[in-house]
Amino acid sequence: MNSDILHFVRDLKSKISDPYVAWVEPFGESEKSSVKLMGIGVFSENKLNLFLKDDEALGFMILKGVPKFGAYNLDIPEFDKITGTIDKSNVSTKIDLKNKKNYLNLNVDIRTFSSGEKKQLDAYFDENLKEIIEEKFSQMVKESCYIAIKKCVAIKSDTFNVGRLLKKSDTNFFKSIENNWKNEFCNFEFVVSAKVKASIIGKEAL
């Protein structure tokens, strides 16, 4: 996670990328308790200009490849609530310079469990339910990541390092737009796709 002070200062001083900070708090009373993601502070123009919370903050961290700080909640009629905690995420990026598009492909592993007095997920799952769960969680991941991106773009914050990737892939082209990168960055279209693989806590993978 980009909480390292050297990385933060590097991005703060950069004319290409921008830093962020994650607000996390301990969750639980034991020494081995996990942490809960409370929000993300996003910088642009050397100032804190955006605060993301809830699903959009989790989407941001999925895009960063550091998602183990929260969970998505899903409502399916026969269950009270299905919770999906994220084990890992993998993000691949492809930039289409000609059409100014940035394609982000997400592969996410989620552990699921149900709560409440209705059916318990680990006792009633089947292949059809697996497909429903994965499809619905995939849509939630896609939407939360896309919202996080759009809000960052709106304040001209390249916290996802698109400029750095572009500079590496086509140095000559990037030099021609480097001085105006933040405005050029806002003209890029972000296309997000997400595929979730679900498993049940205490059971073999669905």
Side-chain angles (χ1 to χ4, degrees):
M1 181 169 59
N2 189 12
S3 59
D4 181 279
I5 187 63
L6 296 177
H7 289 161
F8 181 88
V9 172
R10 179 201 67 186
D11 288 340
L12 191 66
K13 294 169 65 176
S14 172
K15 294 181 179 180
I16 303 174
S17 57
D18 298 280
Y20 73 94
V21 290
W23 172 20
V24 296
E25 291 187 354
F27 185 73
E29 298 180 358
S30 68
E31 292 184 359
K32 295 183 179 180
S33 61
S34 58
V35 293
K36 180 179 180 181
L37 179 66
M38 305 303 293
I40 301 291
V42 182
F43 286 70
S44 64
E45 299 180 347
N46 298 331
K47 296 182 292 184
L48 177 62
N49 283 324
L50 175 66
F51 184 74
L52 302 173
K53 59 181 182 178
D54 301 327
D55 284 356
E56 61 194 30
L58 184 55
F60 182 99
M61 295 307 289
I62 287 174
L63 289 163
K64 286 293 185 179
V66 192
K68 294 187 177 182
F69 297 116
Y72 290 102
N73 291 313
L74 180 64
D75 290 322
I76 292 182
E78 61 265 37
F79 300 93
D80 284 321
K81 181 175 69 174
I82 294 177
T83 298
T85 60
I86 305 198
D87 273 343
K88 63 180 179 180
S89 66
N90 178 270
V91 184
S92 61
T93 301
K94 180 181 179 181
I95 299 176
D96 179 353
L97 286 177
K98 182 179 179 180
N99 296 304
K100 290 190 175 180
K101 290 185 177 182
N102 187 12
Y103 293 91
L104 299 170
N105 184 41
L106 312 174
N107 287 287
V108 181
D109 289 352
I110 288 182
R111 290 183 299 159
T112 61
F113 62 91
S114 59
S115 59
E117 298 179 356
K118 295 183 181 179
K119 291 181 179 179
Q120 292 301 301
L121 183 61
D122 58 356
Y124 289 90
F125 76 87
D126 56 31
E127 286 299 313
N128 290 331
L129 181 58
K130 171 190 173 181
E131 292 180 5
I132 292 171
I133 290 173
E134 291 183 336
E135 181 179 346
K136 288 183 177 294
F137 274 126
S138 293
Q139 187 62 30
M140 292 178 75
V141 169
K142 176 182 175 180
E143 289 178 358
S144 61
C145 289
Y146 185 73
I147 290 171
I149 291 170
K150 293 296 289 184
K151 288 191 174 183
C152 290
V153 171
I155 63 167
K156 297 183 179 181
S157 177
D158 183 10
T159 189
F160 300 110
N161 297 315
V162 176
R164 291 183 186 277
L165 293 172
L166 185 55
K167 188 174 183 179
K168 287 182 179 180
S169 64
D170 195 328
T171 303
N172 291 331
F173 173 79
F174 189 77
K175 283 182 178 179
S176 68
I177 62 172
E178 185 170 3
N179 292 332
N180 191 40
W181 168 240
K182 292 304 175 67
N183 290 321
E184 291 285 344
F185 166 68
C186 293
N187 293 325
F188 271 73
E189 178 185 353
F190 287 80
V191 182
V192 180
S193 61
K195 183 177 181 180
V196 166
K197 180 181 178 182
S199 60
I200 294 177
I201 294 177
K203 288 281 185 179
E204 295 180 358
L206 282 171

